Amino acid sequence: MSKMESERLFVKTLTKTLKRTLCEEINENDKGLEFNLKGWVMHYRDHGSLIFIDLRDYSGTIQIVFDETISPQSFKTAKKIRNEFVVSVLGVVRIRPSGTENPHLKTGKIEIEARSVELLNDCETLPFQIEEEKEAGVNELMRLKYRYLDLRRKKLKENIIFRSNFTFSIRNFLQKKGFFDIETPFLTKSTPEGSRDFLVPSRLNIGSFYALPQSPQLFKQILMVSGFERYYQIVRCFRDEDLRADRQPEFTQLDMEMSFVNKDDILSLTEELLSGVFGELLNIKLNLPFPRLNYDDAMDTYGSDKPDTRFEMTLKKLSHIFVNSSFNLFKDTITGGGEVKGICLKTGSNLLSRKDIDELVSFAKEFGAKGLAWTKVGENKTFDGGISKFISIGERSNLINELNAENGDMIFYQADLKRIANAVLGKLRVHLAKKFNLIPKSKFNFLWVVNFPLFEYSEEEKKIVSVHHPFTSPKLSDIDILISDPLKARSESYDFVLNGEEIGGGSIRIHKKELQEQIFKILKITPENARLKFGFLLDALSFGAPPHGGIAFGIDRILMLLRNENSIRDVIAFPKTQKAYCPLTDTPSKIESMQLREVGISLLKK
RNA sequence: GGGGCUGUAGUUCAGACGGUUAGAACGCCGGCCUGUCACGCCGGAGGUCGCGGGUUCGAUCCCCGUCGGCCCCGCCA
């Protein structure tokens, strides 16, 4: 079923229930029949003794004609109509006179000859125009303040309807697969690891606080202990961190958890789910299974744990070429345990001016690079510019082979710790691809990244922290090195990536109390602290917890990608600004001092 | 916490060396029009140039501060 068909099906069902005719339900076959249409006036065109309006309801638009000679009364009323008035029109369907059809309208072959009209409501002068042709460029603050008007606009309205169809399709699939939709608390416990919590003071327990959940992680694990075996929820999550185009303080996850499954069970079920939804909503057939990349390979090849594989320009290891080089910067980096890596921008010599290159150097430095070396490739394996003079003839030849470089290309180099070289070139790769439109827009490249490290060392906290979260199971094969070499241990976790965006992730969880306690120990969470923060989980794990695992998807981000938007705000009905402010409701805002007193809070004087 | 871009009519934008009355398009209001569909034509109203301070004979323009919006870094297990 195509997207259009599924929307029409939805419309028909509702109409039958409410006994209401919608604009785009009417077609040529209804010629001569009388209908009552209700909706908003999209445009009005007054021709003296003939008035046209385009009536819009949520199904679409249709043209209504008011003719003085047919219905003087309704014509007189129609004279008062303005944009976005709400009207009810009783009229007869007729075929448009030949030559006046509008091929751009779905209802363009017909029109409604008005017999009577009622003005249900008028409308103030709009703060911005509704027509889709004028959608571009309206200040976002204005759009958010008058969100109800913004939502009348075609693009946003279609995004929100698509979102509804999308989540409906997911629910439909999962219910059929034996999953239960189970709600978990919003007023819950603050989690010490992870992002900053939104806090809610408790009136009945002065001095104590709830936190809004960053995710239902612990509850879904507990539901597995309860024996539900298959859980899902399309649920709001809350994180009090700084915002981005793809981050809102409250966002929606598809949250899932299963018992008695292994990693592959979860990955393949997810693939089936997504290919089903894509087929149903977008008529796109996805090739299964999705590619699976090792974390290490993703970092080495793309410099990212969420690689965009829609274009090449992969990172190449060049250390072997420079290990005995007379170029000390490169040689010393290698001797010191670092690596030299490079990427090749096809035809880059012509694309980039000196000023562009300087900008790229600053760009690289933002991500921790010490600099950004470059050379242009000329005819007959000649090099030009940048660090060319330090590179020997033999090295040039090797570089050209390694990077598949040709006359006119440009090579960028990073010599640093492997981690930094990868990260910088990875960012540069994506930056260049966007800058020079190397990314095919119509592609959907899904992939899994697997075999993540279990831990990483946090320079800021000066201790080992979880890469995923502390309930992630190590790979069974790595249990032995947990204590001896924890940073080498890998986890049973997986990230789901679409077109270079992380849109989901999950893991097999720890279901043995002893192993969980051991992990806390490595993370320097004391037994007392663990009991205080996660005691309920440890208790649950001790009462016959089944092996289990799950995954969560960022619904907003997926929708953003599917709808080709640049921000998740455009797939959320009521989003917030970058300062987490809602201009529509003026939130957050001051509250009465009485309310503060009731919850035992006094504000610090500034 | 930091960097970049930005704020002028209801909206989107232009503007100037610091100098008379700050412009355009769309929208809005009034009039005309029987086949338009982003209708057309004629006329009109509409401005705290984000806010505060400074420099100056004079500031929308220069300087300082501040507030808001967007993008990014840090942050987001």
Side-chain angles (χ1 to χ4, degrees), chain A residues 459-488:
Chain A
E459 288 294 340
E460 196 184 329
E461 298 174 57
K462 301 289 177 213
K463 67 171 190 125
I464 286 176
V465 298
S466 295
V467 167
H468 192 54
H469 56 54
F471 320 108
T472 303
S473 175
K475 287 183 92 73
L476 286 181
S477 54
D478 289 354
I479 293 268
D480 296 340
I481 58 168
L482 271 185
I483 303 290
S484 57
D485 199 356
L487 290 173
K488 284 260 169 64

Side-chain angles (χ1 to χ4, degrees), chain A residues 53-81:
Chain A
I53 69 172
D54 296 331
L55 187 72
R56 182 192 72 237
D57 61 25
Y58 84 102
S59 73
T61 62
I62 194 167
Q63 174 166 281
I64 318 260
V65 192
F66 295 91
D67 190 329
E68 195 167 19
T69 62
I70 290 172
S71 172
Q73 195 56 45
S74 63
F75 180 83
K76 204 179 154 200
T77 310
K79 278 280 180 192
K80 291 183 226 155
I81 288 176

Side-chain angles (χ1 to χ4, degrees), chain A residues 148-161:
Chain A
Y148 39 88
L149 297 180
D150 202 20
L151 287 166
R152 281 184 197 172
R153 309 213 281 185
K154 194 170 184 209
K155 188 183 83 159
L156 217 47
K157 187 175 73 173
E158 284 181 353
N159 285 354
I160 299 301
I161 291 172

